[in-house]
Amino acid sequence: SMRRKRMNIIIVSLHFSPGFIGHMKAWYMLCERSGYNAIIYFDKQYLPFFDENEYKCIVNISDAQQYHPHIAIVQNTGFENVSFFKWCTKSKCKLIYILHEPYMGMKEMIKDGNYFAKQAVACGLNVWLCHKSTKIILCSKYAEQNCKKYMKRAANKACNLPLLFLDEYDQKNKDNREYFSMIGTCAESHGSDIFISYIRHAYKKGYKQKFQIVTRSDISNSITDPVYKKMQDEGQLIIKQGRPLSEEEMSIAYRQSIATWNGYRRSTQSGVLPNAFMHGTPVVATRLGSFEEFVLPGRTGVFIDDFKYDTITNALETVRRAGDVMNNECRNYFLKFFYYSNQVDSFRTIIESLENDVE
């Protein structure tokens, strides 16, 4: 029989969002590892983050057209996608859309006061993007349930793959784990204010734990109390905030943590959790959304059922007592689920189901 020609896959993120840098690299590697051609088409703000010797990247639709993609894998939502989706439909390029936040139902959305309008528009856009897609990828069972509930038509096209990552873990650099850390975007939905007031409380109670906040969000207004300055002067608190952070800084932050804060008020997909696991770091998390799937109590993290001081402190102490055992469990969990190279078979299955229809 004739040898099949290699599929041309184009990985797409036209709306710049730094969280997708790592995912796109992992998807690119996954395509190559699975025996397909790959190219990344993205907003030019991504360029500085990609080494052109490692990744083929383009920023113009004309270059995308020249590549003649068979399948596009679209990483995130955004109005920038609309004309690209139309072009794909016209060019008989199959569309795989990764749906990160399936419509959570109005009740969920109303909790996000000022985001409400933005969310509603995003939902409308998502419905249209799903409608135009050949397949939709959902990254958790929680996302799957929501999709079935609120976007029945999209659910018929859905398949599952975890959020994908490269493995950035550095075996040689075994840092001392001494901080309870909050890493990543600060937001009311992430319970950032709870963590910030918790650490002040802990310090005033004489709890000798060290803390760390590492975020590109500007949190100056939340840390005006002089106690935060005092904690920093005494080495009880490290704060890096209000600027973009390098991969290296983020990695070090995770590696030096006993545990990271995932005490979210509302579930959004969390990149903190897989990144923490990558570095062998357990999470302190609320029982929300996909956390129920990924946090194995006493193994990869500890659940908290309220935000009381003692609840949080006890959770952290549980992690501390477990020591290396939990660090190893987190690493194993990361490799099994989130590490791209363990998803080759699942990915090939998805592509082969589309391949039959590709001209």
Side-chain angles (χ1 to χ4, degrees), residues 32-33 46 64 93 134 146 183 237 244 280 288 309 313 349 352:
E32 297 229 304
R33 181 73 55 93
Y46 283 116
C93 170
T134 323
N146 267 302
I183 299 174
L237 172 62
L288 280 180
Y309 174 80
T313 305
T349 306
E352 281 159 16

Side-chain angles (χ1 to χ4, degrees), residues 100-117:
H100 290 286
E101 300 215 350
Y103 180 53
M104 301 289 182
M106 283 301 182
K107 206 168 78 250
E108 280 296 305
M109 285 165 54
I110 288 166
K111 290 184 189 163
D112 262 321
N114 57 340
Y115 292 129
F116 181 66

Side-chain angles (χ1 to χ4, degrees), residues 175-214:
D175 286 86
N176 242 344
R177 294 185 180 273
E178 48 181 349
Y179 299 97
F180 181 24
S181 306
M182 177 169 72
I183 299 174
T185 315
C186 287
E188 187 266 348
S189 58
H190 290 183
S192 308
D193 52 297
I194 296 161
F195 182 85
I196 291 170
S197 68
Y198 168 77
I199 66 176
R200 183 188 65 212
H201 206 76
Y203 178 77
K204 289 191 162 161
K205 271 186 171 310
Y207 184 34
K208 285 283 170 266
Q209 178 57 46
K210 292 181 176 180
F211 303 104
Q212 171 172 249
I213 298 172
V214 179

Side-chain angles (χ1 to χ4, degrees), residues 162-357:
L163 274 182
L164 299 180
F165 292 80
L166 301 176
D167 187 9
E168 310 278 1
Y169 181 64
D170 186 350
Q171 301 287 354
K172 298 183 295 297
N173 267 325
K174 284 269 193 279
D175 286 86
N176 242 344
R177 294 185 180 273
E178 48 181 349
Y179 299 97
F180 181 24
S181 306
M182 177 169 72
I183 299 174
T185 315
C186 287
E188 187 266 348
S189 58
H190 290 183
S192 308
D193 52 297
I194 296 161
F195 182 85
I196 291 170
S197 68
Y198 168 77
I199 66 176
R200 183 188 65 212
H201 206 76
Y203 178 77
K204 289 191 162 161
K205 271 186 171 310
Y207 184 34
K208 285 283 170 266
Q209 178 57 46
K210 292 181 176 180
F211 303 104
Q212 171 172 249
I213 298 172
V214 179
T215 178
R216 39 184 300 225
S217 313
D218 186 335
I219 58 162
S220 313
N221 294 337
S222 311
I223 51 173
T224 51
D225 185 322
V227 76
Y228 295 109
K229 173 87 177 71
K230 192 162 178 276
M231 289 172 73
Q232 284 173 277
D233 294 342
E234 293 174 15
Q236 287 301 104
L237 172 62
I238 289 181
I239 297 179
K240 294 183 179 177
Q241 59 112 8
R243 61 179 175 81
L245 298 151
S246 70
E247 289 282 304
E248 183 56 12
E249 286 179 292
M250 298 295 275
S251 296
I252 290 170
Y254 283 113
R255 284 205 308 265
Q256 293 181 341
S257 300
I258 295 167
T260 59
W261 174 253
N262 258 56
Y264 288 18
R265 282 197 175 87
R266 261 185 309 300
S267 168
T268 51
Q269 215 154 284
S270 167
V272 172
L273 182 139
N275 274 303
F277 288 0
M278 181 196 301
H279 295 285
T281 307
V283 297
V284 170
T286 35
R287 293 177 196 273
L288 280 180
S290 60
F291 296 165
E292 293 263 25
E293 295 162 47
F294 301 138
V295 180
L296 311 175
R299 292 169 58 195
T300 60
V302 178
F303 282 122
I304 50 174
D305 292 314
D306 58 59
F307 293 129
K308 295 192 187 96
Y309 174 80
D310 288 338
T311 308
I312 298 172
T313 305
N314 292 338
L316 184 63
E317 290 304 325
T318 301
V319 176
R320 192 199 312 277
R321 283 195 303 271
D324 286 357
V325 177
M326 277 176 95
N327 301 140
N328 296 331
E329 287 264 12
C330 289
R331 271 295 291 163
N332 293 339
Y333 194 96
F334 169 79
L335 291 170
K336 189 171 158 200
F337 288 97
F338 300 113
Y339 182 40
Y340 78 89
S341 86
N342 285 329
Q343 299 298 333
V344 169
D345 292 341
S346 310
F347 179 55
R348 279 194 181 138
T349 306
I350 294 170
I351 296 298
E352 281 159 16
S353 72
L354 294 179
E355 225 171 347
N356 314 326
D357 322 330

Side-chain angles (χ1 to χ4, degrees), residues 18-208:
F20 289 93
I21 295 166
H23 298 320
M24 283 193 277
K25 291 178 178 177
W27 274 99
Y28 185 92
M29 300 302 288
L30 177 63
C31 290
E32 297 229 304
R33 181 73 55 93
S34 306
Y36 306 121
N37 298 322
I39 196 167
I40 304 177
Y41 169 40
F42 55 27
D43 180 285
K44 61 177 186 302
Q45 293 178 77
Y46 283 116
L47 278 170
F49 302 97
F50 286 77
D51 177 346
E52 60 190 40
N53 301 314
E54 282 183 71
Y55 303 97
K56 292 196 213 53
C57 301
I58 56 174
V59 293
N60 297 316
I61 185 71
S62 55
D63 292 329
Q65 288 162 345
Q66 227 106 74
Y67 175 68
H68 299 299
H70 299 115
I71 294 175
I73 300 176
V74 180
Q75 296 285 321
N76 57 339
T77 190
F79 286 100
E80 299 86 344
N81 286 331
V82 173
S83 60
F84 178 74
F85 270 55
K86 288 179 172 166
W87 175 77
C88 286
T89 309
K90 203 175 72 218
S91 314
K92 303 236 188 306
C93 170
K94 295 275 150 57
L95 274 159
I96 296 179
Y97 177 47
I98 303 175
L99 182 60
H100 290 286
E101 300 215 350
Y103 180 53
M104 301 289 182
M106 283 301 182
K107 206 168 78 250
E108 280 296 305
M109 285 165 54
I110 288 166
K111 290 184 189 163
D112 262 321
N114 57 340
Y115 292 129
F116 181 66
K118 226 163 67 183
Q119 286 275 40
V121 169
C123 283
L125 175 62
N126 265 344
V127 170
W128 185 85
L129 295 172
C130 287
H131 172 65
K132 287 276 183 238
S133 301
T134 323
K135 274 236 189 285
I136 293 156
I137 289 181
L138 300 168
C139 302
S140 66
K141 295 188 185 81
Y142 174 70
E144 221 178 321
Q145 288 156 7
N146 267 302
C147 194
K148 285 199 176 98
K149 209 152 74 187
Y150 301 117
M151 296 172 79
K152 291 192 178 60
R153 286 165 64 189
N156 299 332
K157 308 174 172 180
C159 52
N160 263 54
L161 264 189
L163 274 182
L164 299 180
F165 292 80
L166 301 176
D167 187 9
E168 310 278 1
Y169 181 64
D170 186 350
Q171 301 287 354
K172 298 183 295 297
N173 267 325
K174 284 269 193 279
D175 286 86
N176 242 344
R177 294 185 180 273
E178 48 181 349
Y179 299 97
F180 181 24
S181 306
M182 177 169 72
I183 299 174
T185 315
C186 287
E188 187 266 348
S189 58
H190 290 183
S192 308
D193 52 297
I194 296 161
F195 182 85
I196 291 170
S197 68
Y198 168 77
I199 66 176
R200 183 188 65 212
H201 206 76
Y203 178 77
K204 289 191 162 161
K205 271 186 171 310
Y207 184 34
K208 285 283 170 266

